[in-house]
Amino acid sequence: MTMASDPKMISQSGPLSAEANQAAALAAYGGVLTVDLDAIIANWRKLEKTAVPAECAAVIKADAYGCGAPEVARALSRAGCKTFFVATIEEARKVREAVPEPTIYVLGGYFQNTGEHYAKINCRPVIGDLNELAEWDVFCRRSGWNGGAAVHIDTGMNRLGLTLAEAQAIIPRINAGDHGITLVMSHLVSGEQLNSPVNARQLAAFRGIASEFSGVPAALANSSGIFLGAPFQFDMVRPGAALYGVNPTPEADNPMQQVVDLKARIVQIRTIDRGESVGYGGTWTARRPTKLAIIAVGYADGYFRAASSNDGTRGAEVIVAGKRCPVAGRISMDLIAIDITDLPPNAARRGHMVTLLGDGITVDELAHHFGTIGYEVLTSLGHRYARIYKGGNVVEPLAKPAPPAQASEQLSSPPPVEQPASPPPLPS
């Protein structure tokens, strides 16, 4: 177990054990966020097994959904993951510093004058516009860069991506060879809904256009899409949220392990009389003599104000001394009041830690109280926590069964290609 960064030095009168030193260091923080890298690896391997023979990549954008992109990338790379997706070049730079070998795709696309940044760290843009493709072409011709790029085709999301007509128009370029395209991809609109008719329409559209990108691996499925079955998995799958414990199958039990544990420190114990209110606005009133624990986390730390309680609505719960206890009143920027009246005497004391996430409180449960989705919960966790990483240090890749010959040819990474001196012109 390691801390992500060294806290400020704490004066000590004598030598302490490593555990005592860590405890002393953690005392400076109001909360502790623990990321289980072994759980992330286990989740990736489960998804990998589900998608065999497709390659299982990993989406680690937004600092690996708040879990720490460098740490997650190192752990998954040791486990055998060979391809990562991020959102920006800056994210790619941080990941490349952590893992020198894997392929890194940047989902945010290509802009003029960014080519040198891609080349410097050896990562690949995901191109979703003909202007981007033209600008990338110019850079490759002038620089001789042949690091590759993905083409994103829009099949219904209506955000990024070439239209089907635009994608069809560049097929002659693909058939001409030496095109430098290493992946063709699209993104599902409703992959978490098993019976959504949109899934079938997108699958048909993508299968049709991807089949014309001869010899180029294809990717469609996100976390939820993996569980739609083999037709959606193509040559590569791109799980994101499922790696970090969010349920990719909300219509069924969560098949993923929980990754994040979040604890906060009790800074004060107090009692109030029946009829007294708690927190801003006085929206929660004690119906009996009440014992409160005040904990040092609030919405500035990513624990949303929407999880507050009032006299008519029960809010979120935290675990204190092994028992669930409700939030009392509004969540403020730095503090939350918890009703601990039903706990045994002295079960909770100043300085004790309570659990906000973990020990049965899932990311999806918290998302329900926050009025959002697990993705936003994880990516909103603040930077005031002490951060600890468990596991992920010594990992041997699992042996994978040999895929069928045809799939193997599709899965193998295309060799580096030299940009042609004069590639086929883009469609006007």
Side-chain angles (χ1 to χ4, degrees):
M1 181 182 294
T2 58
M3 294 189 66
S5 58
D6 292 332
K8 294 180 179 179
M9 295 297 293
I10 299 174
S11 61
Q12 301 168 13
S13 58
L16 296 174
S17 67
E19 292 78 7
N21 278 332
Q22 186 176 73
L26 294 178
Y29 295 85
V32 178
L33 189 152
T34 301
V35 178
D36 189 340
L37 295 173
D38 285 343
I40 293 177
I41 291 169
N43 288 340
W44 179 78
R45 284 179 165 165
K46 183 176 185 65
L47 296 164
E48 180 189 37
K49 183 177 179 181
T50 303
V52 166
E55 176 187 352
C56 189
V59 180
I60 56 173
K61 62 181 180 177
D63 198 27
Y65 290 55
C67 291
E71 293 81 4
V72 171
R74 279 192 289 266
L76 287 177
S77 180
R78 293 188 187 107
C81 184
K82 299 185 185 306
T83 304
F84 295 101
F85 287 83
V86 297
T88 67
I89 295 177
E90 179 58 20
E91 288 184 348
R93 184 188 64 78
K94 292 179 180 178
V95 173
R96 178 59 77 211
E97 290 175 355
V99 288
E101 297 299 328
T103 299
I104 302 174
Y105 284 101
V106 179
L107 293 163
Y110 185 89
F111 287 90
Q112 194 171 11
N113 301 321
T114 60
E116 292 183 0
H117 297 284
Y118 281 100
K120 184 176 181 180
I121 60 175
N122 188 25
C123 64
R124 302 174 181 181
V126 176
I127 293 173
D129 178 88
L130 290 180
N131 291 323
E132 292 179 50
L133 189 58
E135 291 164 356
W136 181 70
D137 264 340
V138 170
F139 171 74
C140 290
R141 284 199 303 268
R142 290 178 176 175
S143 67
W145 172 246
N146 59 5
V151 168
H152 184 177
I153 300 172
D154 178 31
T155 56
M157 182 71 78
N158 288 316
R159 297 186 312 182
L160 300 176
L162 276 65
T163 66
L164 291 172
E166 289 171 337
Q168 186 67 47
I170 67 170
I171 296 302
R173 166 199 178 93
I174 302 300
N175 292 337
D178 292 334
H179 46 72
I181 303 303
T182 53
L183 183 71
V184 58
M185 58 179 280
S186 190
H187 195 54
L188 292 168
V189 173
S190 305
E192 73 283 358
Q193 299 175 23
L194 292 176
N195 298 316
S196 172
V198 178
N199 293 332
R201 290 200 296 269
Q202 285 193 270
L203 176 62
F206 184 67
R207 181 189 288 132
I209 192 66
S211 66
E212 298 196 50
F213 279 67
S214 179
V216 179
L220 175 63
N222 56 2
S223 292
S224 296
I226 293 171
F227 293 89
L228 293 176
F232 288 83
Q233 293 165 3
F234 290 88
D235 304 293
M236 176 187 288
V237 295
R238 311 185 311 269
L243 295 171
Y244 314 105
V246 175
N247 188 358
T249 57
E251 298 175 8
D253 292 339
N254 190 353
M256 316 315 298
Q257 293 186 22
Q258 181 136 336
V259 168
V260 173
D261 178 275
L262 178 60
K263 290 181 168 55
R265 191 177 307 281
I266 297 175
V267 295
Q268 190 175 112
I269 302 290
R270 61 190 304 121
T271 57
I272 60 174
D273 294 330
R274 181 178 183 273
E276 290 191 80
S277 65
V278 176
Y280 284 114
T283 58
W284 187 93
T285 307
R287 300 181 180 181
R288 57 180 177 174
T290 299
K291 190 175 184 179
L292 299 171
I294 312 301
I295 62 174
V297 161
Y299 58 74
D301 304 290
Y303 199 89
F304 290 15
R305 191 171 180 266
S308 302
S309 65
N310 56 48
D311 287 338
T313 304
R314 188 178 178 92
E317 296 176 330
V318 306
I319 297 174
V320 186
K323 183 174 181 179
R324 286 184 174 238
C325 298
V327 169
R330 285 184 182 168
I331 293 164
S332 55
M333 183 179 290
D334 313 302
L335 299 167
I336 305 172
I338 308 297
D339 184 350
I340 60 170
T341 309
D342 293 330
L343 294 182
N346 298 319
R349 298 183 181 182
R350 176 174 173 266
H352 284 184
M353 304 297 282
V354 306
T355 300
L356 286 71
L357 182 57
D359 295 337
I361 298 178
T362 67
V363 172
D364 296 294
E365 177 185 337
L366 212 52
H368 171 75
H369 289 294
F370 289 178
T372 184
I373 56 177
Y375 301 60
E376 189 174 10
V377 173
L378 291 176
T379 57
S380 297
L381 295 176
H383 299 286
R384 299 197 294 186
Y385 303 116
R387 185 172 288 231
I388 293 174
Y389 289 92
K390 293 168 50 180
N393 294 318
V394 181
V395 180
E396 293 297 330
L398 289 181
K400 295 171 65 175
Q406 182 178 1
S408 178
E409 293 173 2
Q410 294 175 342
L411 284 169
S412 59
S413 298
V417 295
E418 295 183 1
Q419 193 70 15
S422 179
L426 293 172
S428 58

